[in-house]
Amino acid sequence: AQTVTQSQPEMSVQEAETVTLSCTYDTSESNYYLFWYKQPPSRQMILVIRQEAYKQQNATENRFSVNFQKAAKSFSLKISDSQLGDTAMYFCAFMKPTNAGKSTFGDGTTLTVKP
Amino acid sequence: DTGVSQDPRHKITKRGQNVTFRCDPISEHNRLYWYRQTLGQGPEFLTYFQNEAQLEKSRLLSNRFSAERPKGSFSTLEIQRTEQGDSAMYLCASSPPPGTSTDTQYFGPGTRLTVL
């Protein structure tokens, strides 16, 4: 079974600065997807960014980018120019395309952006 | 695109009562998932439907839990004889058919269950 570990339960960052959230996972699969989701205090989960394991290029979405290290099974999220609206819980998730699409989530990192 | 909707958003019930939650997925999505999320933890997979067929159930889904998706559109999750340990947020997600350009899941706002 796959496991996803987020070792930072809480983090904080000053507005406009950069922060990196860590995620490691364990799998014997070679093809899979990795995701970062954001869950603001209103609690609706929103997809932030997605990475296919077969792609060597790291995914980017505006201020959000990942550092995907397949050999190390590491998938960190970098948020640049942090904004107050980035305050949320962030979940790392793993999915095998062949496994009915269900995702395995980490326990999350609570990020607070301070003015 | 109205997104995934769930009803009710909040439910308070007494131990031993039955509750039912509804999920309406994005209209063109044939895959539907239920997850449970307790405070301070990530969502845990409960069950999965492709169209009307329930293809997978987690061991977390005890025999007090049942889910249906009768016409391959909306889904219901019923919990019988609720226990205090059932208190959690129940999340529904949907995704497009396999083989499409994305396997991304889109989540609803969740139903928060409190069992007194």
Side-chain angles (χ1 to χ4, degrees):
Chain A
Q2 287 71 39
T3 59
V4 177
T5 302
Q6 294 179 248
S7 59
Q8 305 152 314
E10 296 182 0
M11 292 191 72
S12 64
V13 63
Q14 292 296 130
E15 196 174 6
E17 293 187 347
T18 295
V19 64
T20 299
L21 308 184
S22 300
C23 172
T24 58
Y25 57 95
D26 186 25
T27 184
S28 58
E29 302 291 325
S30 59
N31 186 29
Y32 48 88
Y33 301 129
L34 295 165
F35 304 87
W36 279 99
Y37 287 91
K38 171 184 177 181
Q39 194 173 40
S42 65
R43 298 187 69 96
Q44 180 144 13
M45 196 91 68
I46 304 166
L47 178 67
V48 174
I49 200 163
R50 157 200 168 102
Q51 174 81 43
E52 288 91 350
Y54 64 86
K55 291 185 177 179
Q56 292 187 340
Q57 186 173 7
N58 289 324
T60 63
E61 286 288 343
N62 301 314
R63 299 182 295 107
F64 299 88
S65 61
V66 298
N67 183 6
F68 173 48
Q69 302 289 329
K70 190 172 185 180
K73 296 179 183 175
S74 170
F75 182 61
S76 61
L77 174 70
K78 186 172 82 170
I79 306 174
S80 303
D81 185 26
S82 297
Q83 301 175 1
L84 296 178
D86 295 334
T87 293
M89 181 164 269
Y90 288 81
F91 292 99
C92 178
F94 171 101
M95 187 177 76
K96 287 195 304 182
T98 55
N99 197 18
K102 70 183 183 186
S103 296
T104 301
F105 287 81
D107 283 339
T109 296
T110 300
L111 176 67
T112 302
V113 180
K114 299 180 177 178
Chain B
D1 179 5
T2 58
V4 179
S5 62
Q6 292 186 244
D7 182 71
R9 296 290 306 274
H10 303 274
K11 178 70 176 178
I12 299 174
T13 191
K14 293 182 179 179
R15 188 177 54 186
Q17 298 294 306
N18 300 343
V19 294
T20 300
F21 310 142
R22 176 181 171 123
C23 171
D24 287 87
I26 294 172
S27 59
E28 63 268 26
H29 289 183
N30 71 336
R31 294 185 289 175
L32 187 147
Y33 310 81
W34 285 98
Y35 290 86
R36 181 171 67 189
Q37 184 180 22
T38 53
L39 277 176
Q41 294 190 336
E44 295 175 294
F45 170 79
L46 291 179
T47 190
Y48 158 67
F49 289 86
Q50 183 163 310
N51 300 313
E52 66 276 8
Q54 188 174 21
L55 298 185
E56 189 167 349
K57 291 172 60 174
S58 164
R59 284 169 294 194
L60 292 173
L61 214 65
S62 76
N63 54 13
R64 297 185 296 106
F65 287 71
S66 62
E68 294 182 343
R69 195 182 182 196
K71 296 183 179 179
S73 56
F74 73 91
S75 175
T76 58
L77 177 68
E78 180 183 17
I79 309 174
Q80 296 182 327
R81 305 180 303 282
T82 52
E83 301 173 356
Q84 288 185 327
D86 297 332
S87 295
M89 179 74 86
Y90 290 84
L91 297 171
C92 177
S94 69
S95 63
T100 52
S101 60
T102 175
D103 268 314
T104 299
Q105 296 180 357
Y106 297 82
F107 283 83
T111 295
R112 176 171 292 286
L113 173 67
T114 302
V115 181
L116 301 177

